[in-house]
């Protein structure tokens, strides 16, 4: 158990407490400091201030500041929810020492009742998440396109709360499922809250929201046995998508590295839909939103993801939390693609179709601001779990398009928040409250907290002088008067402008590197190998052949089946683009190692200077050196110093780190620890930077020999030298900045 912090408050004296020396001894040596009844003090004057405020003609605050606000229990006395101080919390009230518990024990009933209701329904999708506070700062005004203050006040910092999530799994699932990642941002602006509720992939599985229940049901655990959890590798998902060609583009993305990101810090975000911006003249411009991570976009290898789920299922959550605690704040640039309203159908596809993206070669991304996440939540449930996003939370100068998936979301998000958070007043939860004034005639409902004075609750009224008044033109939100199509009639029908399901998937495939293509083929193979119905496997291959013959043939060969196209041949529109580098993770900028975790394998006798040099250079690059040793305490260096160990080798694996270095020291024993050899060879197989100096090079050579590579590892990104100095260390850190070194033919021979 973690130690309780020492109590800094002066104990209160009473006749029953004994002398000061005795009490001091209790405070210092009691193994259960919470039992020290002398330590707590709730008499801080807050009650008197609250009473004075309540008795005022116009109270500024209702109730104790310790209710409904940011609170610390440090130095305080235990109470019930009604404020009654409790002297004992270990035993229920009973009739005699061994008698029945009494119903009159109100403390027991309150405590148990609250516990029984602590869990609320988890989100149907995006249940597992992590979040952070931060700010958005506009660097370029969009005044020509919108009246939203958020996008016109340059250099103004707007508070934000961002929640990242997986989609399919439950709250208890692991972080490294192959899945879409949610990327939802709540901006607390001077004009109201704006929620940009997107994903880390710019397109979606379906075109119309009426199919959303079907899609989610298909990817969730199958209803007859609740298997599998947080996985798409099963019959019902692939059955659904094989019958929905509109899903083919998004499925291709999820079979790529985009569905197994290295971290939330190195993950792009997208608004998915096409929205509108409205300027002061009432003119509309179409917009798509992008988040670009400053540290670059990077992914994991599937073998790593599988192993990480076993070694640290909280890998992404932990990375986000620890990065912020270390001051290595995740940072993203906000970009927009702006398209004239008249060009809705002029790019070769329909901008209302959420299964399509706008290639950056056709419309460049214009970067207009940056977002920095610099504070972790104080309480996971109160903030990360209770935050309620809604794509309908927009600002003046913004509006929607007729995207049929977006329109369904505009209904669904409010509906699900009412069920999940107990009623219509979820906006009053602290994490959801706007920072600007809120005044309206909405009343009552479960868990209502705002107390509105006055007798009116309707509009128009005269009894309160018409308050709250209607907003003037300068501040009011106005819907864009988009005209309806001529002769439009009610119909359940899909526009033919949504009918091309394969051209953009083909562009994505053409934009991938050779390594990425092989990884996509392997992902399809893994997923479809877990599908029990041969007809479903064949149908998927028959669909993806319309994306690329090479893709279908690669998957079919691995599955041992033939390629039998589903439907007629498809005419591919290449948009006049050979490839789009923005769609390839391999083509993303490299070099920044901020927040990267580098394992340094040590043992007794490790060289003091090598450790100091590595730590100094890595700190300058804002990377983290993690000492991995044979035990969880420390090792003794060559100079006799005690070097603290961050992780015992037995408790971690190479997959939890971005690179590994073995410094100089004593020569390795004749029979080195197999776990250390596995750590090195696995890092090399996963194409990470591997470094060693002095005697450390001997351990790397032994790792290669044990894997059957007698001549030693020979691929790029291997930084080994006889010397173990700053020059060697800087070369190693430069190699870490490349993220992966794919051109290692010998790595394929390593059986790990």
């Amino acid at each position: 158990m973690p130690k309780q912090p020492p109590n800094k408050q002066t104990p209160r004296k009473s006749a029953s407490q004994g002398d000061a020396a005795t009490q001091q001894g209790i405070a210092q040596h009691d193994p259960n400091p919470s039992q020290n009844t002398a330590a707590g003090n709730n008499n801080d004057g807050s009650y008197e201030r609250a009473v004075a405020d309540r008795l005022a003609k116009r109270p500024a605050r209702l109730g104790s500041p310790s209710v409904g606000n940011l609170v610390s229990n440090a130095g305080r006395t235990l109470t019930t929810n009604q404020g009654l101080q409790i002297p004992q919390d270990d035993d229920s009230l009973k009739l005699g020492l061994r008698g029945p518990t009494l119903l009159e024990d109100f403390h027991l009933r309150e405590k148990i009742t609250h516990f029984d209701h602590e869990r609320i329904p988890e989100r149907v999708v995006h249940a597992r998440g992590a979040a952070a506070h931060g700010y958005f700062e506009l660097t370029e005004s969009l005044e020509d396109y919108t009246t939203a203050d958020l996008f016109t006040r340059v250099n103004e910092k707007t508070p934000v709360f961002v929640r990242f999530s997986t989609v399919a799994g439950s709250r208890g699932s692991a972080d490294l499922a192959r899945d879409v990642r949610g990327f939802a941002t709540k901006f607390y602006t001077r004009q109201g809250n704006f929620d940009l509720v997107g994903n880390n992939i710019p397109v979606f599985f379906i075109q119309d929201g009426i199919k959303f229940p079907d899609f989610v049901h298909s990817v969730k655990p199958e209803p007859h046995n609740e298997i599998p959890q947080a996985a798409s590798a099963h019959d019902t998902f692939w059955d659904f998508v094989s019958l929905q060609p509109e899903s083919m583009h998004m499925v291709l993305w999820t079979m790529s590295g985009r569905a197994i990101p290295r971290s939330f810090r190195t993950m792009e975000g997208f608004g998915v839909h096409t929205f509108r911006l409205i300027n002061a003249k009432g003119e509309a411009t179409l917009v798509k939103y992008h988040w670009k991570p400053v540290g670059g976009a990077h992914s994991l290898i599937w073998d790593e993801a599988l192993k990480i789920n076993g070694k640290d299922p909280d890998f992404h959550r932990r990375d986000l939390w620890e990065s912020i605690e270390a001051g290595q704040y995740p940072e993203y640039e906000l970009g927009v693609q702006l398209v004239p309203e008249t060009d809705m159908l002029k790019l070769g596809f329909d901008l209302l179709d959420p299964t399509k993206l706008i290639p950056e070669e056709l419309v460049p991304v214009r970067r207009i601001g940056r977002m920095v996440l610099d504070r972790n939540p104080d309480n996971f449930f109160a903030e990360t779990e209770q935050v309620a996003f809604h794509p309908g939370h927009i600002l003046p100068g913004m509006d929607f398009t007729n995207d049929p998936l977006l329109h369904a979301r505009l209904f669904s998000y409010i509906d699900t928040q009412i069920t999940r958070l107990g009623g219509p007043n979820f906006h009053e939860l602290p994490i959801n409250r706007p920072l600007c004034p809120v005044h309206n005639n909405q009343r009552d409902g479960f868990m209502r907290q705002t107390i509105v004075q006055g007798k009116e609750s309707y509009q128009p009224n005269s009894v309160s002088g018409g308050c709250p008044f209607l907003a003037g033109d300068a501040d009011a939100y106005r819907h864009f008067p988009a005209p309806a199509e001529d002769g439009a009639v009610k119909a359940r029908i899909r526009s033919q402008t949504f009918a091309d399901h394969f051209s953009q998937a083909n562009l994505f495939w053409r934009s991938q590197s050779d390594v990425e293509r092989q990884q996509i083929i392997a992902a399809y193979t893994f997923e479809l190998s877990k599908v029990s119905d041969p007809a479903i496997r064949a149908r998927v291959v028959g669909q993806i052949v319309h994306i690329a013959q090479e893709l279908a043939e690669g998957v079919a060969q691995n599955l041992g089946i033939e390629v039998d196209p589903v439907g007629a041949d498809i005419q591919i529109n290449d948009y006049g683009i050979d490839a789009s580098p923005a769609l390839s993770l391999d083509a993303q900028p490299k070099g920044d190692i901020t927040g990267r975790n580098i394992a340094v394998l040590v043992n007794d006798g490790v060289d003091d200077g090598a450790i100091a040099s590595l730590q100094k250079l890595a700190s300058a690059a804002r990377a983290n050196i993690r000492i991995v040793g044979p035990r969880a305490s420390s090792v003794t260096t060559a100079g006799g110093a005690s070097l603290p160990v961050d992780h015992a080798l037995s408790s971690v694996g190479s997959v939890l780190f971005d690179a590994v270095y073995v410094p100089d020291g004593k020569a390795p024993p004749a029979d080195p620890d197999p776990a250390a050899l596995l750590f090195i060879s696995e890092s090399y197989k996963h194409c990470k930077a591997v470094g060693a100096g002095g005697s450390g090079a001997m351990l790397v050579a032994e790792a290669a020999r044990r894997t059957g590579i007698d001549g030693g590892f020979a691929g790029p990104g291997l930084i080994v030298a006889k010397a173990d100095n700053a020059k060697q260390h800087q070369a190693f850190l430069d190699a870490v900045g490349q993220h992966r070194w794919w051109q290692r033919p010998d790595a394929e021979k390593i059986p790990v």
Side-chain angles (χ1 to χ4, degrees):
M1 294 291 290
K3 294 182 179 180
Q4 296 286 339
N7 198 306
K8 298 181 180 180
Q9 297 232 357
T10 303
R12 291 171 292 154
K13 295 182 180 180
S14 70
S16 62
Q17 289 174 356
D19 58 50
T22 301
Q23 290 306 313
Q24 185 179 13
I26 292 174
Q28 291 178 350
H29 303 296
D30 190 338
N32 186 357
S34 66
Q35 297 293 328
N36 181 8
T37 58
N41 185 356
N42 288 356
N43 297 327
D44 58 357
S46 61
Y47 173 73
E48 287 78 11
R49 291 191 294 272
V51 169
D53 189 57
R54 176 63 66 89
L55 295 179
K57 290 186 177 181
R58 285 290 181 268
R61 179 175 56 198
L62 298 176
S64 168
S66 63
V67 178
N69 293 293
L70 185 62
V71 175
S72 170
N73 289 331
R76 301 301 188 181
T77 299
L78 181 70
T79 73
T80 67
N81 283 336
Q82 304 303 316
L84 186 68
Q85 296 193 28
I86 299 298
Q88 213 264 29
D89 191 43
D90 290 336
D91 302 287
S92 58
L93 185 67
K94 293 184 286 290
L95 187 62
L97 291 177
R98 302 176 62 248
T101 299
L102 299 178
L103 187 61
E104 69 184 72
D105 189 348
F106 57 85
H107 176 47
L108 167 70
R109 285 188 284 112
E110 179 191 87
K111 188 175 180 181
I112 291 295
T113 298
H114 193 281
F115 171 78
D116 289 344
H117 295 268
E118 282 181 359
R119 294 297 170 263
I120 65 174
E122 67 176 34
R123 290 168 167 85
V124 177
V125 288
H126 299 277
R128 180 172 179 82
H133 294 272
Y135 63 87
F136 170 75
E137 184 176 16
L138 187 71
T139 55
E140 179 184 341
S141 175
L142 292 182
E143 187 174 7
D144 290 342
Y145 301 96
T146 181
T147 59
D149 283 349
L150 178 67
F151 293 150
T152 57
R153 291 176 174 260
V154 176
N155 298 326
E156 180 168 286
K157 291 184 177 180
T158 300
V160 298
F161 187 74
V162 179
R163 187 178 188 270
F164 306 101
S165 56
T166 53
V167 173
S170 67
R171 279 184 61 189
S173 59
D175 279 351
L176 265 298
R178 180 178 290 280
D179 199 357
V180 190
R181 297 306 190 281
F183 195 134
T185 306
K186 186 179 290 290
F187 298 81
Y188 302 89
T189 85
R190 63 176 62 247
Q191 294 177 303
N193 287 355
F194 167 48
D195 291 351
L196 182 55
V197 194
N199 290 326
N200 74 322
I201 292 177
V203 293
F204 202 62
F205 292 95
I206 54 175
Q207 295 174 325
D208 194 304
I210 199 169
K211 298 304 298 176
F212 194 73
D214 300 294
F215 159 67
V216 173
H217 289 168
S218 78
V219 75
K220 285 287 190 178
E222 297 183 7
H224 65 296
N225 61 7
E226 190 63 13
I227 296 173
Q229 175 59 242
S232 57
H234 58 105
D235 284 31
T236 58
F237 171 76
W238 287 100
D239 183 42
F240 175 81
V241 299
S242 71
L243 297 169
Q244 291 284 130
E246 68 200 64
S247 300
M248 289 298 110
H249 187 196
M250 177 67 166
V251 170
L252 188 62
W253 280 77
T254 60
M255 294 300 105
S256 76
R258 301 282 182 158
I260 43 174
R262 160 61 183 84
S263 67
F264 296 138
R265 297 179 292 108
T266 56
M267 184 178 82
E268 290 185 288
F270 305 90
V272 179
H273 306 286
T274 301
F275 295 89
R276 280 189 174 100
L277 296 177
I278 316 298
N279 65 15
K281 299 178 182 178
E283 300 166 335
T285 301
L286 305 174
V287 60
K288 278 188 177 286
Y289 296 105
H290 296 247
W291 289 114
K292 299 286 190 180
V294 172
H298 303 293
S299 67
L300 295 167
I301 299 171
W302 184 232
D303 184 58
E304 287 180 292
L306 294 173
K307 293 171 179 175
I308 290 172
N309 278 339
K311 293 181 179 292
D312 185 4
D314 302 300
F315 184 74
H316 280 163
R317 285 182 171 188
R318 192 184 314 280
D319 179 271
L320 179 65
W321 180 278
E322 291 182 349
S323 296
I324 294 174
E325 291 296 297
Q328 298 163 345
Y329 302 138
E331 185 173 341
Y332 310 81
E333 291 179 307
L334 179 64
V336 292
Q337 288 177 297
L338 301 171
V339 179
E341 179 84 12
T342 53
D343 289 355
M344 179 84 76
L345 294 172
K346 293 183 179 180
L347 298 178
F349 52 91
D350 195 331
L351 287 182
L352 298 184
D353 182 351
T355 68
K356 305 296 189 295
L357 56 83
I358 304 177
E360 294 187 21
E361 289 71 20
L362 299 183
V363 181
V365 174
R366 179 174 172 180
R367 305 191 186 204
I368 62 168
R370 70 184 189 115
M371 178 173 69
V372 178
L373 303 182
D374 59 2
R375 180 165 66 88
N376 281 313
D378 291 297
N379 182 273
F380 183 90
F381 179 83
E383 297 172 278
T384 306
E385 190 63 19
Q386 290 196 132
V387 67
F389 295 97
H390 176 38
H393 294 163
I394 58 175
L395 304 175
M398 298 179 177
D399 210 340
F400 315 110
T401 60
N402 291 339
D403 177 338
L405 177 62
L406 174 59
H407 283 202
R409 294 180 73 200
L410 294 176
F411 167 79
S412 179
Y413 276 69
I414 285 286
D415 191 45
T416 193
Q417 306 298 6
I418 289 173
T419 296
R420 196 173 66 85
L421 297 173
N425 290 312
F426 58 85
H427 61 283
E428 294 190 327
L429 294 168
I431 192 61
N432 296 321
R433 294 173 186 170
L435 301 185
C436 63
V438 175
H439 299 282
N440 56 51
N441 291 313
Q442 296 175 12
R443 297 291 185 267
D444 308 341
F446 283 113
M447 306 303 292
R448 178 69 169 179
Q449 298 173 53
T450 302
I451 299 175
V452 182
Q453 299 170 331
K455 62 191 294 185
E456 92 293 339
S457 58
Y458 53 91
Q459 223 290 328
N461 72 75
S462 64
V463 297
S464 294
C467 297
F469 298 114
L470 297 178
D473 287 339
D475 304 310
Y477 177 83
R478 302 286 185 183
H479 289 278
F480 176 68
E485 294 181 4
D486 292 339
V489 296
K490 292 188 293 184
R492 289 190 187 276
I493 193 169
R494 192 77 56 89
S495 170
Q496 280 301 306
T497 58
F498 282 35
D500 181 357
H501 304 312
F502 295 97
S503 292
Q504 291 212 350
N506 176 267
L507 175 61
F508 183 83
W509 175 260
R510 287 187 282 116
S511 302
Q512 304 303 292
S513 67
D514 290 341
V515 170
E516 288 176 308
R517 291 184 186 185
Q518 291 306 310
Q519 291 173 344
I520 290 171
I521 290 172
Y524 272 101
T525 303
F526 176 91
E527 298 268 320
L528 293 174
S529 295
K530 289 182 173 288
V531 172
S532 62
D533 188 336
I536 296 174
R537 293 198 295 267
R539 193 162 59 239
V540 172
V541 172
Q543 292 281 15
I544 64 176
V545 72
H546 298 307
I547 299 173
Q549 186 76 28
E550 176 190 4
L551 169 63
E553 289 179 350
V555 175
Q557 181 178 353
N558 291 344
L559 296 176
I561 64 176
E562 298 296 324
V563 178
D564 185 10
V566 174
D569 290 343
I570 301 296
Q571 183 67 39
I572 295 295
N573 181 353
D574 65 10
Y575 308 111
I577 301 170
D578 291 330
S580 179
L583 305 183
S584 168
L585 288 173
D586 273 1
Q588 299 297 310
K590 297 178 176 64
D592 188 348
I593 63 172
T594 299
R596 296 300 179 91
N597 293 318
I598 300 168
V600 177
L601 297 185
V602 302
N603 212 329
D604 292 319
V606 64
D607 183 72
D608 302 70
I611 295 296
S613 172
L614 277 167
Q615 290 177 329
K616 179 180 178 180
L617 291 172
S619 177
R622 302 183 70 203
N624 304 310
I625 294 295
R626 304 299 188 198
I627 304 298
V628 179
R631 49 191 174 272
S633 52
S634 62
V635 296
T636 302
T637 67
S642 177
L643 176 65
V645 167
D646 296 307
H647 303 283
L649 181 59
S650 61
S651 69
V652 294
S654 71
V655 293
L656 303 181
F657 302 91
D658 296 289
V660 60
Y661 192 89
V662 187
D664 193 14
K666 290 183 179 178
D671 188 20
D673 187 343
L677 300 177
L678 174 63
F679 199 109
I680 295 168
S681 58
E682 193 173 55
S683 295
Y684 186 80
K685 181 178 178 64
H686 291 154
C687 301
K688 298 175 182 178
V690 175
S695 63
M698 299 169 62
L699 193 65
V700 173
E702 179 63 15
R705 190 185 70 80
R706 292 286 185 96
T707 60
I709 304 176
D710 292 332
F713 299 134
L718 179 70
I719 313 298
V720 177
K722 294 181 180 179
D724 203 4
N725 53 32
K727 182 179 179 181
Q728 159 74 358
H729 301 153
Q730 187 59 59
F732 168 70
L733 294 177
D734 291 342
V736 176
Q738 292 303 302
H739 187 62
R740 302 282 183 182
W741 294 85
W742 296 121
Q743 307 306 318
R744 290 178 177 174
D746 55 344
E748 299 176 6
K749 304 176 183 178
I750 301 175
V752 297

